[in-house]
Amino acid sequence: MELEALSVVDFTKSDEENPRNWSRGRKLVNVAIVALMALMSPLASSMFTPGIKQISDDLNVGPNLVIGATTSFVLALGFGPLILAPLSETFGRRKLYLVCFSVFSLLQIPTALSPNVETLITLRTFTGFFGSVGIANGGGTISDMFHPSARAGVFGWYLLGPLLGPTLGPLFGGLIVQRLGWRWVFWILAILCTVNAVIAFSFLKESYAPVILEKRKENLEKDTGDRYHIANEDPRPFWTKLASSMNRPLRILFTQPIVFVMAIYQAFIFGTNYSLYTNFEAIFGNNYGFSTTQVGLVYLAPGVGFLLAVWLVVPRIDTTFNSLTARNDNVPKPEFRLPLANIGAVFIPTSLFWLAWTVEYRAHWFVTILSTAFFGFGQVAIFNTVQNYFIDSFSQYAASAIAAGAVFRSIMGGLMPLAAPSLFESAGYGWGISIFAFLNLALSPFPVLFYLYGERLRMKFAIEL
């Protein structure tokens, strides 16, 4: 029987099962659970870095091998979404969250018991993969529940998780390593993640509309004996649809110039971020004589920048989007998300030059640390506007679009910190950090260019997903 001859299953205008019609409280419960998942994996990526020396001594290996456990984790954190995001667009968000985050939680236990560095690196790789589920599908989940006109503010608070994780990790990790030893980093992560997983099993609801409608269709067919089809249903066989969904993130990445360039932009920012974080101990310990605990407190400065940006900039993303939409005869465009990205495009290279030369000439520690708050502020401005641009451009496949952008980000986040110590040693902190500033400066015009010419590029390179 042709699909056209079957009764259609779809949401009605005020349908309570439609995630966009849920109460705000119900939506925010989902957002909070997913945001905690998105916080835990980056937290786990950096939480053990203060214990690198202790781990290398305990396992009788060089510190560079131990750093490899962070590199493998961050790389897996980037490649995981390439698989987990399209799977959530096939099987639903909730199943992926529950299965992957449960595995992520359980893997902390053998990691805490690692007898050698090979085991540690292997387990951290798998942990990074499964832990990426919150980052892979968070944007898609928010897109499921919120209309574009009210999405950016909520997304900003969710995005604090992936940004604050690497910031808070070294602070908490330093306290744990000093008082309990490095293995307790993973025991504590196991406890925190298990609590989060239990909350998710209890309160997380499915938000992906096609999966909700598929369940409704099955119930109707069971009750009535008639056959139905879902509105806009893909009639292809399951395995064909699955294969298509699995290559969707890479198709988006390599066929969409805006996604490709902005993914590289985010990647350089992310790589710069990790390069600085992994060298704060050397910068503030050696240059300013900070203790390990004091160095841990330095990581709070970018966090202050994150919070200020979420408070001051993020709500204006929706305001700007709605204002530009109204001026365009109420026709929205993804490019209307980009104007406020220019704040980050200015703040990031400026703050990096500021950090570079205040460290080089050993200016007062407060002046140096203050630059990292502006760096954090700029990151939120860039990441939030760009992620919302991806969501608006690929609404139903928002998770795949964000996954496409995550690949380069995690590659740079994993590899750039490996080169940073040698760069700083040979060029000094002034010119070494300035190289990161120049790279970000070279990419800073793209938000303006894509605001002006983005629609033309989207039309020229449009693809069927």
Side-chain angles (χ1 to χ4, degrees):
M1 186 182 294
E2 294 295 327
L3 287 179
E4 290 78 3
L6 302 177
S7 298
V8 178
V9 178
D10 200 358
F11 293 127
T12 59
K13 185 175 181 180
S14 57
D15 200 320
E16 292 185 359
E17 289 189 13
N18 184 346
R20 291 195 171 182
N21 291 335
W22 292 350
S23 69
R24 186 168 178 82
R26 173 64 261 175
K27 293 176 183 179
L28 292 179
V29 168
N30 259 29
V31 172
I33 292 170
V34 175
L36 281 173
M37 291 182 181
L39 168 68
M40 286 299 170
S41 48
L43 189 75
S45 76
S46 62
M47 202 167 171
F48 90 129
T49 52
I52 285 174
K53 186 177 186 306
Q54 192 179 106
I55 297 170
S56 64
D57 291 342
D58 190 26
L59 300 181
N60 297 311
V61 294
N64 283 343
L65 269 177
V66 180
I67 291 173
T70 295
T71 300
S72 64
F73 185 102
V74 174
L75 289 174
L77 205 62
F79 283 101
L82 289 178
I83 297 173
L84 301 183
L87 284 179
S88 80
E89 293 163 351
T90 304
F91 299 104
R93 316 285 193 206
R94 188 174 187 272
K95 287 179 183 176
L96 263 290
Y97 283 131
L98 297 183
V99 171
C100 292
F101 202 77
S102 296
V103 175
F104 173 75
S105 304
L106 291 171
L107 283 172
Q108 307 302 329
I109 297 171
T111 306
L113 299 170
S114 297
N116 52 57
V117 74
E118 293 82 6
T119 303
L120 180 67
I121 291 173
T122 301
L123 288 169
R124 291 277 290 173
T125 303
F126 284 106
T127 305
F129 175 84
F130 287 104
S132 70
V133 68
I135 295 170
N137 297 315
T141 299
I142 292 171
S143 178
D144 296 340
M145 298 184 294
F146 291 89
H147 291 279
S149 60
R151 185 195 305 130
V154 176
F155 190 79
W157 289 106
Y158 154 79
L159 194 61
L160 274 178
L163 290 173
L164 280 176
T167 301
L168 298 176
L171 172 62
F172 295 142
L175 295 172
I176 295 167
V177 168
Q178 278 190 319
R179 288 161 176 75
L180 299 171
W182 70 269
R183 294 183 187 275
W184 268 98
V185 168
F186 299 105
W187 289 119
I188 290 173
L189 278 172
I191 294 167
L192 294 174
C193 294
T194 300
V195 170
N196 195 359
V198 170
I199 293 172
F201 271 96
S202 303
F203 300 106
L204 186 67
K205 287 186 69 175
E206 179 58 63
S207 64
Y208 193 52
V211 170
I212 297 171
L213 292 172
E214 180 64 34
K215 186 175 178 63
R216 178 180 289 186
K217 170 188 158 185
E218 290 173 0
N219 289 337
L220 284 170
E221 290 179 341
K222 182 179 178 181
D223 293 341
T224 66
D226 297 330
R227 291 186 60 196
Y228 296 81
H229 83 93
I230 298 169
N232 302 316
E233 183 176 3
D234 186 345
R236 294 177 298 173
F238 170 78
W239 291 108
T240 304
K241 290 190 287 187
L242 181 61
S244 176
S245 69
M246 293 302 290
N247 68 34
R248 189 180 296 127
L250 290 178
R251 286 175 62 209
I252 292 172
L253 178 63
F254 290 111
T255 65
Q256 302 301 295
I258 299 177
V259 174
F260 184 82
V261 172
M262 296 310 283
I264 291 175
Y265 193 3
Q266 290 184 97
F268 274 113
I269 295 171
F270 201 68
T272 301
N273 189 49
Y274 268 88
S275 297
L276 294 178
Y277 281 3
T278 54
N279 285 278
F280 272 5
E281 181 76 44
I283 291 171
F284 292 99
N286 297 340
N287 284 21
Y288 291 94
F290 281 20
S291 67
T292 301
T293 302
Q294 289 172 322
V295 171
L297 293 172
V298 172
Y299 292 90
L300 294 179
V304 171
F306 298 153
L307 290 169
L308 285 173
V310 169
W311 179 37
L312 296 173
V313 174
V314 168
R316 275 74 185 175
I317 297 174
D318 278 338
T319 304
T320 304
F321 177 83
N322 294 335
S323 175
L324 291 171
T325 298
R327 285 163 52 186
N328 194 48
D329 297 326
N330 289 317
V331 178
K333 295 180 183 179
E335 288 74 26
F336 294 162
R337 297 291 184 186
L338 295 177
L340 294 183
N342 295 295
I343 297 173
V346 173
F347 273 35
I348 286 174
T350 302
S351 61
L352 288 173
F353 284 123
W354 174 356
L355 175 64
W357 297 104
T358 51
V359 171
E360 181 71 19
Y361 291 107
R362 302 200 179 187
H364 191 276
W365 59 265
F366 180 78
V367 178
T368 301
I369 292 172
L370 186 60
S371 68
T372 66
F374 282 87
F375 180 66
F377 193 100
Q379 284 186 72
V380 171
I382 292 289
F383 285 161
N384 207 293
T385 51
V386 171
Q387 303 277 49
N388 272 283
Y389 173 86
F390 289 168
I391 292 171
D392 285 350
S393 298
F394 305 95
S395 182
Q396 184 176 343
Y397 303 114
S400 287
I402 291 173
V407 180
F408 289 156
R409 193 170 68 225
S410 287
I411 291 173
M412 291 296 188
L415 298 181
M416 283 174 68
L418 297 177
S422 300
L423 174 64
F424 296 153
E425 188 176 338
S426 59
Y429 288 115
W431 286 111
I433 298 174
S434 289
I435 289 173
F436 290 104
F438 282 120
L439 289 170
N440 283 281
L441 184 63
L443 291 163
S444 63
F446 281 104
V448 172
L449 293 174
F450 289 146
Y451 174 72
L452 296 173
Y453 305 109
E455 183 179 16
R456 195 179 306 171
L457 281 170
R458 281 190 298 108
M459 297 301 104
K460 183 176 180 180
F461 293 94
I463 54 170
E464 182 65 42
L465 295 173

